[in-house]
Amino acid sequence: MQNDSRLPPGQRRVDGFPRFGSHLSRPAPAVPADPIIEMRGAMAEVVDLPLATLSTLPRREVATDFHCVAGWSSTNLRWEGVSFATVYRAVIEPALRPGTSVTHVVCRGLDGWESVMTIEDALADDVLIAENLNGYPLDGDHGAPARLVSPRQYGYVSVKHLSRIEVLTAAPKRSEGPLFRTHPRGRVWEEERHGLLPGRVVRPVYRTLIAPIRFLSSRGVHAGA
Ligand SMILES: Nc1nc2c(c(=O)[nH]1)N[C@H]1C(S)=C(S)[C@@H](COP(=O)(O)O)O[C@H]1N2
Ligand SMILES: [Mo]
C-alpha cells in the first residue's frame, strides 16, 4: 500500500489489474464474429456500428488509473481506442431526431451490465471506447472486443464488452434499492461512491466486498494465452 497520496480519497492501490465485476465466476461473453455497437434511443434511425468501422475513426490514447467503487485502484494503464466524443459527433449526433437534446447515455455490455452517464460526463475528453490495453487487444477479462473507459468515474461506469449505446432525453428511472444505490455521476475525486450516503461512510462496507468478488472473478478468467 505504498504512496497512495495521488489516488482519489478512500482508494488503495492494487498490484496489476484484476478482473472484477458482477459476472463473478462466469467467463467473459463470446466475441461475435462481426461485432457491432447498437446505437439506440432518441434517434431518427437506429445505427449498428461495426467495430471494424469504429476502428477507422481517429484514434486516441489515454494513460490513466482505474478506480473501483469498492476501493481498489489499478495505476498506470494505457488505453487506446476512439474517444467517445468522436463517436458521438460522427455517428450518433447526425442520426438524432431533429431538435433532440440528449441528457443521458446508457451503455450496455454483452453480459447485460449497464451504466448510465450524464451527457456531460460521457463527452469528457478522456472517455474512450477502448480496444487496446497496454499495447495489446483487450482480452475477455478486461472487456473484449471493446469497452468504455471513463477514468474520472468509478469503474462500474466503464462497461466491458460494449454492445449498445442508448441516448436519452431525461434521466432513466432507477431500479436499484437503497443499499447499493449508485450516485448519478460517480466521480472518483468527489468520492461520489453512493447515491444517498457520503462516500466515506460506505468505504468500509464496500471494502469488505473486494476480496470475495476478486476471488470469484479470478475463477472466470480468460483461458487463452
Ligand atoms: N460488462 C461488464 N462491465 C463491467 C462490469 C461487469 O460485471 N460487466 N463490472 C464493472 C466493475 S464494478 C468494475 S470495477 C470494472 C472492472 O473492470 P476490469 O474487470 O477490467 O478490472 O468493470 C466494470 N464494467
Ligand atoms: Mo467496481
Side-chain angles (χ1 to χ4, degrees):
M1 241 42 87
Q2 354 75 307
N3 183 26
D4 284 353
S5 55
R6 64 187 184 85
L7 292 181
Q11 294 297 115
R12 294 183 193 162
R13 186 187 316 271
V14 286
D15 287 333
F17 187 30
R19 176 180 194 250
F20 201 90
S22 70
H23 42 60
L24 302 175
S25 302
R26 284 190 298 280
V31 175
D34 295 303
I36 59 164
I37 301 176
E38 300 176 349
M39 315 283 184
R40 297 292 185 272
M43 304 180 61
E45 46 185 316
V46 304
V47 177
D48 289 339
L49 179 72
L51 272 197
T53 307
L54 174 117
S55 304
T56 64
L57 293 172
R59 314 282 304 178
R60 169 128 164 74
E61 196 175 285
V62 174
T64 188
D65 301 340
F66 188 93
H67 312 288
C68 171
V69 74
W72 59 266
S73 294
S74 178
T75 54
N76 300 319
L77 303 174
R78 190 163 46 85
W79 302 100
E80 199 265 341
V82 178
S83 149
F84 185 90
T86 298
V87 177
Y88 189 82
R89 304 278 179 235
V91 181
I92 298 178
E93 216 163 43
L96 291 178
R97 282 187 222 123
T100 295
S101 175
V102 171
T103 60
H104 293 78
V105 175
V106 181
C107 290
R108 187 195 293 170
L110 290 167
D111 59 352
W113 184 260
E114 279 191 356
S115 75
V116 183
M117 285 182 288
T118 65
I119 188 69
E120 177 189 356
D121 289 335
L123 294 179
D125 83 331
D126 54 358
V127 178
L128 275 192
I129 298 178
E131 296 177 286
N132 297 307
L133 169 61
N134 296 336
Y136 294 95
L138 287 181
D139 62 14
D141 301 343
H142 294 299
R147 81 177 294 171
L148 191 74
V149 177
S150 180
R152 283 180 270 174
Q153 295 181 282
Y154 287 115
Y156 61 81
V157 173
S158 295
V159 172
K160 302 193 280 189
H161 324 290
L162 181 64
S163 61
R164 190 177 197 266
I165 297 171
E166 185 182 358
V167 288
L168 305 179
T169 55
K173 286 226 158 36
R174 301 182 158 274
S175 55
E176 307 154 319
L179 197 55
F180 287 104
R181 178 76 57 89
T182 53
H183 188 280
R185 301 195 66 186
R187 291 171 298 174
V188 298
W189 289 97
E190 286 75 7
E191 203 174 356
E192 292 168 341
R193 225 178 267 280
H194 195 274
L196 303 171
L197 300 167
R200 48 186 319 124
V201 172
V202 295
R203 265 184 214 173
V205 182
Y206 280 11
R207 196 166 288 289
T208 64
L209 302 173
I210 296 177
I213 295 178
R214 207 179 153 177
F215 171 75
L216 290 172
S217 296
S218 70
R219 291 176 43 187
V221 294
H222 169 70

